[in-house]
Amino acid sequence: MRVAIAGAGAVGRSIAGELLENGHEVLLIDKAPTAISVERVPQAEWLLADACEITSLDEAALERCHVVIAATGDDKVNLVVSLLGKTEYGVPRVVARVNNPKNEWLFNESWGVDVAVSTPRLMSALVEEAVSVGDLVRLLRFSQGDANLVELTLPPEAALAGTRVGDVTWPQDTALVTIIRGNRVMAPDPEDALEAGDELLFVAAPAREEQLEDLLSVRGGTT
């Protein structure tokens, strides 16, 4: 898979390193000469250019990329890169970094964004996830399809504890994608019984989150 990353700062380089380790092709783009540190990620391609310029993106052959990641520290730049990547080059997947949570509402399909990652919100969510039991925590927002990745740790004495996954009538527009039990990561099986302390990860429509939280609470249950 070929991935272009706009922004070769610490965030962009870190993402590039992970992707290269997983066998992907990576192109890092930055307009600041000081950001071009080839020795830090030598396996990547590097391009000194302004990712907001069509000529630069032509040079980057963005039409050959499967994913574009807008990872600069400037939300305006990330939005422009996302829009150009999606509308001018038809990139299938666009991921954008949100630096200021106040701008999060802009990072949607209207600007070509498939997945918006808000670093401050994600850090806050991870803190909540570590201390919250029985409360739904939003981890990630998917702009395309209007859905969130959410987590809930099943509380002690939850009504659904002991219930098989296949016997639960989940709310519409929600999908249980993973059960984390201790050190195990489990793909949900209809025969699996839920246990108190399970970390449940769902992809859910925002309008269904309250219903999902009620279902998984101590007072909730199968419907």
Side-chain angles (χ1 to χ4, degrees), residues 39-96:
E39 69 282 358
R40 293 192 180 186
V41 194
Q43 305 95 330
E45 298 176 48
W46 290 78
L47 178 62
L48 176 62
D50 186 345
C52 291
E53 297 288 341
I54 290 288
T55 53
S56 300
L57 300 181
D58 284 343
E59 185 178 354
L62 216 67
E63 70 279 358
R64 295 198 293 112
C65 292
H66 303 90
V67 180
V68 164
I69 301 173
T72 79
D74 188 325
D75 285 345
K76 296 187 294 296
V77 170
N78 291 343
L79 285 170
V80 171
V81 171
S82 298
L83 185 62
L84 291 175
K86 183 66 72 175
T87 60
E88 297 296 324
Y89 298 91
V91 177
R93 191 75 163 167
V94 175
V95 180

Side-chain angles (χ1 to χ4, degrees), residues 134 155-160 210-211 213-222:
E157 302 179 1
L160 286 182
E210 184 176 351
Q211 187 179 353
E213 188 170 25
D214 287 343
L215 177 66
L216 295 166
S217 69
V218 173
R219 64 184 181 278
T222 55

Side-chain angles (χ1 to χ4, degrees), residues 1-187:
M1 182 171 69
R2 182 173 174 80
V3 182
I5 302 174
V11 173
R13 293 196 305 270
S14 178
I15 297 169
E18 292 284 340
L19 291 171
L20 287 163
E21 284 185 12
N22 290 325
H24 302 295
E25 297 178 39
V26 176
L27 168 65
L28 280 160
I29 308 170
D30 206 297
K31 68 177 181 180
T34 54
I36 305 300
S37 304
V38 178
E39 69 282 358
R40 293 192 180 186
V41 194
Q43 305 95 330
E45 298 176 48
W46 290 78
L47 178 62
L48 176 62
D50 186 345
C52 291
E53 297 288 341
I54 290 288
T55 53
S56 300
L57 300 181
D58 284 343
E59 185 178 354
L62 216 67
E63 70 279 358
R64 295 198 293 112
C65 292
H66 303 90
V67 180
V68 164
I69 301 173
T72 79
D74 188 325
D75 285 345
K76 296 187 294 296
V77 170
N78 291 343
L79 285 170
V80 171
V81 171
S82 298
L83 185 62
L84 291 175
K86 183 66 72 175
T87 60
E88 297 296 324
Y89 298 91
V91 177
R93 191 75 163 167
V94 175
V95 180
R97 172 187 176 188
V98 186
N99 297 279
N100 186 341
K102 293 181 179 179
N103 296 330
E104 194 171 1
W105 66 277
L106 287 166
F107 286 74
N108 55 39
E109 60 184 4
S110 298
W111 280 92
V113 178
D114 295 309
V115 179
V117 181
S118 171
T119 305
R121 183 178 294 279
L122 182 57
M123 292 178 68
S124 174
L126 290 173
V127 170
E128 289 184 52
E129 186 270 337
V131 300
S132 299
V133 175
D135 294 324
L136 186 142
V137 178
R138 296 182 189 90
L139 298 177
L140 190 66
R141 179 174 65 86
F142 299 99
S143 301
Q144 199 172 57
D146 191 25
N148 295 324
L149 178 66
V150 300
E151 183 271 351
L152 187 142
T153 300
L154 204 62
E157 302 179 1
L160 286 182
T163 304
R164 295 188 311 167
V165 170
D167 291 337
V168 181
T169 302
W170 302 108
Q172 186 179 359
D173 300 325
T174 69
L176 175 64
V177 293
T178 305
I179 300 171
I180 302 175
R181 182 174 297 162
N183 294 325
R184 297 176 60 200
V185 178
M186 303 163 54

